[in-house]
Amino acid sequence: MAATMFSSSLVDTADHHPELRSSVAGVAGKFGRKYFQDVVKRDAKPTELWEALAESGFLGVHIPTEYGGGGGGMGDYNIVIEETAAQGCPVLSLVIGSITAPIITHHGSEDMKDKWLPGIAAGNLRMSFAITEPDAGTNTHRITTTAKPNGDGWLLSGTKYYTSGVDEADSILVVARSGEADASGRHQLSLFIVAADAPGITCQDIPCVVQAAEKQFTVFFDDVELGPEALIGVEGNGLRQVFAGLNPERIAAAAINNGIARYGLETASQYAQDRVVWNNPIGAHQGVAHPLAAAYIGVQQARLMNARAAELYDAGSEEAGEVANMAKFAAADSSLVALDQSIQTLGGNGLALEYGLADLWFVARLHKTAPVSREMILNFVAQHSLGLPKSY
Amino acid sequence: MKVVVCVKQIPDPADPGALDPETRTLKRDVKLILDESDSYGVEMALQLVDAAGEGEVILVSMAPNGERSGLATALAMGAASAILISDPELVGSDALTTAKLLATAVKDQGADLIIAGSESSDGYTGVVPEQIAGVLDLPSVTAAKSIEVDGSSIKVQRQTDGGYDDVTCPLPAVVSVTAGVVEPRYPSFKGIMAAKNKPVEEKSAADLGFDASQVGWAGAGQEIIEVTDAPKRQAGEVIEDDGEAFTKIVAYLENMKVI
């Protein structure tokens, strides 16, 4: 299905964006929803789609050209992710690339950039991102995974939780505590790139309901030896550095949901055009049409906000964080409304795998919880945008 | 090897088009896209240049309002540059005028080969490639499904109702390409970004040596007198299944000589 119903002139911010959209939709559309469902059903990976996206340079649009990328930004990567998802292929690994590549680009050493960025752009090197811990979810300051000095490097120990795609990863970008606590008792954080097969790492998968190709893992680090080259940027500067990846992650997560919402509404609108139960297509009934129209408006708002968040991020604006958070919030909520209404429009068929809607539910629902919860975004907006007292 | 590809930019067939009731021609004041039937010619030209190991693909297009969106697609696919013929004087030009203008723009390019789609997806006159060959006094091969360069000539497989003809033709030549015979590439990100800096030279009718009386409505040798809707499809035959329906279906298929 080539996506044509959703106007993108509202959201595109560069003159090459329509061409990029159409090309990504063409490449991903050769695979489509049935392919993706089959991959998930077989517990396989969408390797062919991944390679096709890589071959067209879409995996590295946001990576500088000197490191094998396209030299664009999150404005472009947003389109790559959204158009792929809009073809019924919500590739969560694309979100990981939105975290790791910008962190390395902004804070990595030259050696690190040379080693990882061309591979990420070419799709043949994969990196997971490990931040969440069983006892430190949203509160990153409570991270206990620790890098202890060891010769000229470190020994890494601790447990990470809900680390996506470790089974496919060549390495893991780990957020860990290092150095002594400051006067307020807070530990400094540092970022490391750790080989995924390093001695001392064990992984255990966390069975999840999300029907995605990417699996979730608990990752145990038991005195994993790190050399000095493993450190990203400056020791103790990890919290500041990690935001180079967390804001794009919100934009990328929103892009997945905006794409899913488009897939749902396009499927449902076509169905409502064709399906005649009495004398008219069911889409002629306002009880069917209006909720779909309202959902469309919500999705367009979310897409507009996300495109703007990406534009602000690419411009280095201080406000990119607030807008990226709000865009993720808007995309999660509006996509769930859109997908639910799409399922409803199809009646019983809404739940049939043949139509490919209901099995998108938990992928969309995921982003109401991750990468940052709806509630934490409301806390952030209440405190930083409205100046209300901090609630936690 | 230098290949010129004639491409048309047309209203998106996915959007319902409209006819201008005055002129009975398609309204073209919307955003135009690359005619899909021309993307096969672009792909074939790019493959020929790749196979030759040197050369380039140059686009020639005629479109209203300086429209370049469709050219951007073909440039992003890998064409090196484009010539865009655009001029308010050209509104109403017929197929032969279009061919004369395109041929004039092509003439100075020193092309080894000129490729065009067999027919556009909006006008469907299906004569422009042959008219270009006529104007330039070049050999013309139609309905190509494959082209192979062999020194100073080409071997073309020319699609026919029963199969294909093998045709050999000296270069330079004009070849029209059948839609669907190759898989046009989707532009890569690098291609899309590079297309922004590729030269598009815009030419008016006067630049090509035509005056107002020779082009547009004034110069057209054809006129659209009437437009009528295509006849509605007849209702199909309904066979009620009384347990013996298959015999009627077999008889029907036999009658059609399908089985």
Side-chain angles (χ1 to χ4, degrees):
Chain A
M1 181 175 68
T4 51
M5 180 210 294
F6 270 76
S7 165
S8 293
S9 46
L10 173 73
V11 297
D12 285 339
T13 52
D15 58 1
H16 67 274
H17 281 174
E19 192 71 51
L20 177 60
R21 271 187 199 287
S22 125
S23 197
V24 177
V27 170
K30 285 198 277 188
F31 299 90
R33 184 78 191 123
K34 293 270 179 261
Y35 162 83
F36 203 77
Q37 284 182 307
D38 182 57
V39 164
V40 173
K41 187 177 168 189
R42 289 188 289 112
D43 205 14
K45 307 294 180 193
T47 310
E48 302 82 2
L49 169 60
W50 186 261
E51 286 173 354
L53 292 171
E55 197 182 324
S56 293
F58 296 147
L59 296 182
V61 293
H62 58 318
I63 291 173
T65 49
E66 57 267 41
Y67 302 108
M74 280 306 295
D76 301 305
Y77 202 46
N78 171 31
I79 289 172
V80 169
I81 298 174
E82 185 192 294
E83 292 298 330
T84 306
Q87 296 297 322
C89 305
V91 182
L92 294 174
S93 294
L94 292 171
V95 178
I96 304 177
S98 75
I99 313 167
T100 53
I103 290 176
I104 296 169
T105 301
H106 286 101
H107 302 293
S109 65
E110 275 307 307
D111 282 352
M112 225 169 228
K113 291 179 194 176
D114 286 337
K115 183 171 178 189
W116 292 105
L117 294 178
I120 293 173
N124 53 27
L125 282 182
R126 306 281 280 258
M127 192 178 279
S128 276
F129 177 65
I131 182 166
T132 304
E133 297 187 1
D135 296 319
T138 291
N139 189 353
T140 304
H141 295 293
R142 287 183 59 178
I143 280 177
T144 56
T145 297
T146 303
K148 281 188 298 197
N150 175 44
D152 59 354
W154 294 267
L155 280 178
L156 183 70
S157 287
T159 304
K160 292 291 181 184
Y161 209 33
Y162 291 105
T163 306
S164 305
V166 180
D167 54 336
E168 297 176 82
D170 300 283
S171 65
I172 312 171
L173 198 164
V174 182
V175 185
R177 178 193 275 198
S178 72
E180 297 300 316
D182 64 15
S184 65
R186 276 186 176 179
H187 285 269
Q188 302 300 308
L189 298 176
S190 301
L191 308 181
F192 300 94
I193 297 179
V194 185
D197 59 355
I201 296 181
T202 46
C203 303
Q204 203 170 57
D205 76 323
I206 308 170
C208 286
V209 72
V210 178
Q211 287 182 288
E214 295 78 4
K215 305 295 170 214
Q216 302 296 320
F217 293 88
T218 307
V219 184
F220 303 96
F221 299 90
D222 184 11
D223 279 342
V224 177
E225 283 188 37
L226 304 180
E229 74 289 344
L231 177 71
I232 300 178
V234 178
E235 188 178 7
N237 218 7
L239 188 63
R240 195 181 69 74
Q241 292 176 174
V242 85
F243 273 94
L246 295 188
N247 288 330
E249 182 187 24
R250 288 144 173 61
I251 293 166
I256 291 251
N257 282 45
N258 290 334
I260 290 173
R262 284 175 47 188
Y263 180 81
L265 287 178
E266 288 184 358
T267 305
S269 299
Q270 191 59 54
Y271 191 90
Q273 288 266 16
D274 300 338
R275 172 80 170 157
V276 178
V277 182
W278 278 278
N279 298 319
N280 295 318
I282 59 169
H285 305 302
Q286 291 179 341
V288 173
H290 281 187
L292 289 174
Y296 173 87
I297 293 170
V299 173
Q300 290 291 68
Q301 287 173 325
R303 294 178 73 212
L304 180 57
M305 195 177 252
N306 207 35
R308 195 75 183 107
E311 197 180 26
L312 288 168
Y313 175 84
D314 289 337
S317 165
E318 293 282 313
E319 289 177 50
E322 184 202 26
V323 184
N325 269 306
M326 295 196 297
K328 202 280 293 187
F329 179 102
D333 280 7
S334 63
S335 65
L336 288 171
V337 169
L339 185 56
D340 187 48
Q341 196 57 44
S342 301
I343 291 170
Q344 190 69 11
T345 302
L346 267 69
N349 285 335
L351 299 170
L353 288 172
E354 183 188 346
Y355 290 86
L357 294 183
D359 51 337
L360 283 169
W361 181 260
F362 284 101
V363 185
R365 178 61 184 77
L366 166 70
H367 289 144
K368 191 169 170 180
T369 305
V372 56
S373 73
R374 197 175 182 278
E375 292 70 27
M376 285 308 290
I377 293 175
L378 292 173
N379 284 336
F380 179 89
V381 169
Q383 185 186 337
H384 295 281
S385 312
L386 298 176
L388 298 173
K390 188 172 180 176
S391 62
Y392 58 94
Chain B
M1 173 171 205
K2 202 172 207 179
V3 184
V4 168
V5 185
C6 301
V7 296
K8 192 168 182 185
Q9 305 176 80
I10 64 169
D12 190 342
D15 297 327
L19 290 179
D20 183 328
E22 290 277 306
T23 64
R24 303 178 193 90
T25 55
L26 193 63
K27 286 187 181 171
R28 294 172 193 280
D29 50 359
V30 293
K31 187 188 163 209
L32 304 179
I33 63 168
L34 179 67
D35 187 342
E36 191 195 339
S37 70
D38 285 327
S39 64
Y40 303 100
V42 174
E43 179 61 40
M44 221 178 233
L46 291 169
Q47 288 183 12
L48 287 172
V49 167
D50 279 350
E54 53 82 34
E56 60 182 8
V57 175
I58 299 167
L59 310 167
V60 177
S61 184
M62 182 167 130
N65 308 321
E67 180 64 47
R68 296 176 179 211
S69 300
L71 287 177
T73 302
L75 291 169
M77 286 172 74
S81 63
I83 300 166
L84 173 64
I85 307 166
S86 192
D87 189 333
E89 301 274 4
L90 298 176
V91 175
S93 295
D94 63 2
L96 183 56
T97 309
T98 304
K100 286 177 180 169
L101 288 155
L102 291 170
T104 308
V106 166
K107 199 168 53 189
D108 302 332
Q109 295 302 316
D112 300 298
L113 176 63
I114 298 150
I115 290 179
S118 288
E119 58 184 358
S120 64
S121 308
D122 60 346
Y124 287 107
T125 61
V127 294
V128 172
E130 297 71 36
Q131 290 175 330
I132 292 172
V135 171
L136 295 175
D137 199 19
L138 291 177
S140 161
V141 183
T142 57
K145 68 192 279 275
S146 78
I147 305 173
E148 193 187 326
V149 178
D150 183 13
S152 60
S153 65
I154 44 172
K155 290 178 182 170
V156 179
Q157 289 184 349
R158 191 180 166 279
Q159 196 134 22
T160 63
D161 286 342
Y164 62 87
D165 296 334
D166 280 320
V167 178
T168 305
C169 169
L171 291 175
V174 179
V175 179
S176 69
V177 171
T178 304
V181 293
V182 285
E183 189 179 352
R185 66 195 69 187
Y186 290 106
S188 70
F189 188 66
K190 284 190 176 142
I192 291 167
M193 299 309 273
K196 293 185 180 199
N197 297 321
K198 289 181 175 174
V200 178
E201 189 185 350
E202 197 164 324
K203 287 187 185 287
S204 65
D207 292 338
L208 295 169
F210 290 77
D211 67 43
S213 69
Q214 296 170 294
V215 296
W217 298 113
Q222 66 185 54
E223 190 182 349
I224 301 165
I225 306 165
E226 193 185 349
V227 175
T228 41
D229 289 339
K232 286 225 162 56
R233 234 176 12 175
Q234 302 290 314
E237 185 186 348
V238 178
I239 300 171
E240 295 284 346
D241 186 14
D242 52 4
E244 296 295 318
F246 70 93
T247 58
K248 292 178 184 162
I249 294 169
V250 168
Y252 179 79
L253 293 175
E254 276 175 350
N255 191 36
M256 294 199 30
K257 296 191 167 48
V258 180
I259 55 174

